Amino acid sequence: MQTKFKFNKMISPYILMLVIGVQSCNKNEIDPHKQIVFNEGLPESLESLEKHLPFKNFSYAILDTGTDSLKVFFGKLMQGSKNGYWIGIDLQGMPAKFSTVDLNEIDSLGYRTKDIDIEFNEDMNKISVRIIEVDSLNLSYAWLDGSELINNISINTIENPLRKNALFPEMNLESLYGETIHSSQFKNKFVIINWWATWCSPCIKEIPGLNGIVERYKLNENIRFIALTDDPRSRIERFSGAKVFNYEMAFANEEVRNIFGNSYPINIIINPSGIITYISKGAGNNTPNEIEASLQQQLEDYKRNLMYAN
């Protein structure tokens, strides 16, 4: 028995109009993703950083911000034989931020990706961008407003608790041995915190210098050194078995991760009153020396103030 379908000719124009309408809507949608096109070297405004960085074979792309006062760059680099990525900005012609990027997340299509927050203007403003790597020659980006993809850059004002002269926020950390470390335990001590990750090349590079500070102040019971990470415990255990990092290891929960953000490394000194007296973000060959110089000055001032108080 043959089955036949009968179409009403009066309906077909409406169906056609509907199909055309849907196609028209799709054509009018604007894809927020933009292709990344690389140039060799570093942008002129960031060239002065090159001699201070442990990288080579730089390339860069200019991400479209729609403004001349804020330029955002994304690029490639090499450290030794390993390839990597970096992101940086210049603000009104001056370098304002540089950090390496690890595309360590996988999206629903199986592509490597990363949502990157970039804080600038003394950490009072923030922009966010998503980078997607289809392969090493095919990368794209899209600006973010929260978790929403947008067509144009969004500059957000933030209240960052991690800033100099601010009270260090209360938080709970977990030690390598599963014990709780509460920030209330920092009272009456100088606490040096290093926010780091095992995959972060600048973080690894500064560890010997940080270890040297610990060695020189290890007899001072009023100083505590904490290496804080959101890496999995298993990765930290493997790292600790292969390399020496003399800071006390601690793990961040989601709340703490939101406070510290996606930029690595961050180094902080908290004084005995709980005030952040030193903070540095991103790569810097001289960071361990800066930390120690600041710590030494603060120790001298603290001792002097105690003598006057008595």
Side-chain angles (χ1 to χ4, degrees):
M1 181 177 180
Q2 189 176 13
T3 304
K4 295 182 179 180
F5 295 93
K6 185 177 180 180
F7 294 94
N8 189 328
K9 292 183 179 180
M10 295 298 293
I11 297 178
S12 58
Y14 295 99
I15 295 175
L16 181 61
M17 289 174 63
L18 178 61
V19 172
I20 292 174
V22 171
Q23 290 177 339
S24 298
C25 287
N26 288 337
K27 286 183 179 179
N28 289 334
E29 288 180 359
I30 300 175
D31 184 355
H33 296 90
K34 300 177 178 68
Q35 199 70 18
I36 296 178
V37 180
F38 292 101
N39 306 287
E40 292 185 0
L42 282 171
E44 184 177 355
S45 61
L46 300 183
E47 285 180 347
S48 61
L49 300 177
E50 185 169 7
K51 63 183 178 181
H52 302 294
L53 298 171
F55 312 118
K56 59 182 181 180
N57 294 356
F58 288 97
S59 63
Y60 73 95
I62 303 174
L63 307 190
D64 182 17
T65 64
T67 173
D68 291 333
S69 61
L70 174 63
K71 294 182 179 179
V72 180
F73 307 102
F74 179 79
K76 299 179 181 180
L77 53 76
M78 286 190 68
Q79 184 173 29
S81 60
K82 294 183 178 180
N83 295 312
Y85 295 108
W86 64 272
I87 196 163
I89 66 174
D90 90 35
L91 191 60
Q92 296 179 340
M94 297 296 292
K97 185 77 68 171
F98 181 99
S99 62
T100 56
V101 175
D102 185 21
L103 305 182
N104 58 353
E105 300 172 7
I106 305 296
D107 68 10
S108 60
L109 297 177
Y111 300 144
R112 296 175 65 202
T113 184
K114 184 72 173 180
D115 290 353
I116 306 168
D117 296 331
I118 311 170
E119 298 175 2
F120 61 99
N121 193 22
E122 297 184 351
D123 298 332
M124 298 301 294
N125 296 106
K126 180 180 76 171
I127 57 175
S128 300
V129 64
R130 176 174 296 171
I131 305 293
I132 300 174
E133 179 200 74
V134 176
D135 54 52
S136 61
L137 300 176
N138 187 4
L139 290 91
S140 64
Y141 72 96
W143 299 113
L144 291 167
D145 187 5
S147 59
E148 179 184 357
L149 294 174
I150 53 177
N151 295 315
N152 300 304
I153 192 171
S154 174
I155 301 176
N156 297 308
T157 301
I158 57 176
E159 293 185 10
N160 194 330
L162 299 182
R163 63 183 187 277
K164 190 173 181 180
N165 298 323
L167 187 67
F168 187 74
E170 290 190 11
M171 60 181 64
N172 282 315
L173 314 176
E174 184 179 347
S175 77
L176 188 61
Y177 308 104
E179 300 168 339
T180 298
I181 303 171
H182 191 269
S183 53
S184 60
Q185 299 172 16
F186 301 164
K187 187 177 181 180
N188 297 325
K189 291 181 179 290
F190 283 95
V191 180
I192 294 83
I193 294 179
N194 173 246
W195 173 243
W196 74 297
T198 54
W199 49 262
C200 165
S201 297
C203 300
I204 305 304
K205 187 176 185 297
E206 68 182 12
I207 286 177
L210 300 180
N211 283 343
I213 303 174
V214 177
E215 182 64 26
R216 287 184 284 277
Y217 290 92
K218 64 183 180 181
L219 298 180
N220 192 325
E221 297 180 353
N222 294 319
I223 303 176
R224 189 170 182 176
F225 297 89
I226 297 176
L228 180 60
T229 185
D230 61 352
D231 274 358
R233 180 181 295 273
S234 58
R235 184 178 296 176
I236 295 299
E237 289 173 346
R238 288 195 301 271
F239 181 91
S240 299
K243 297 183 180 293
V244 176
F245 194 176
N246 291 332
Y247 276 44
E248 176 185 354
M249 292 293 167
F251 297 94
N253 56 31
E254 188 65 23
E255 180 183 0
V256 174
R257 185 190 183 283
N258 288 337
I259 291 174
F260 278 86
N262 296 322
S263 296
Y264 305 84
I266 298 176
N267 287 281
I268 292 173
I269 299 178
I270 307 165
N271 73 9
S273 298
I275 303 297
I276 298 172
T277 51
Y278 171 92
I279 183 166
S280 68
K281 298 184 178 183
N285 285 346
N286 202 42
T287 299
N289 292 332
E290 291 177 359
I291 294 171
E292 185 165 11
S294 178
L295 177 61
Q296 182 60 38
Q297 184 61 56
Q298 291 183 55
L299 286 169
E300 292 174 2
D301 293 343
Y302 185 70
K303 184 177 180 180
R304 188 180 306 111
N305 291 336
L306 287 179
M307 291 176 59
Y308 290 150
N310 295 328

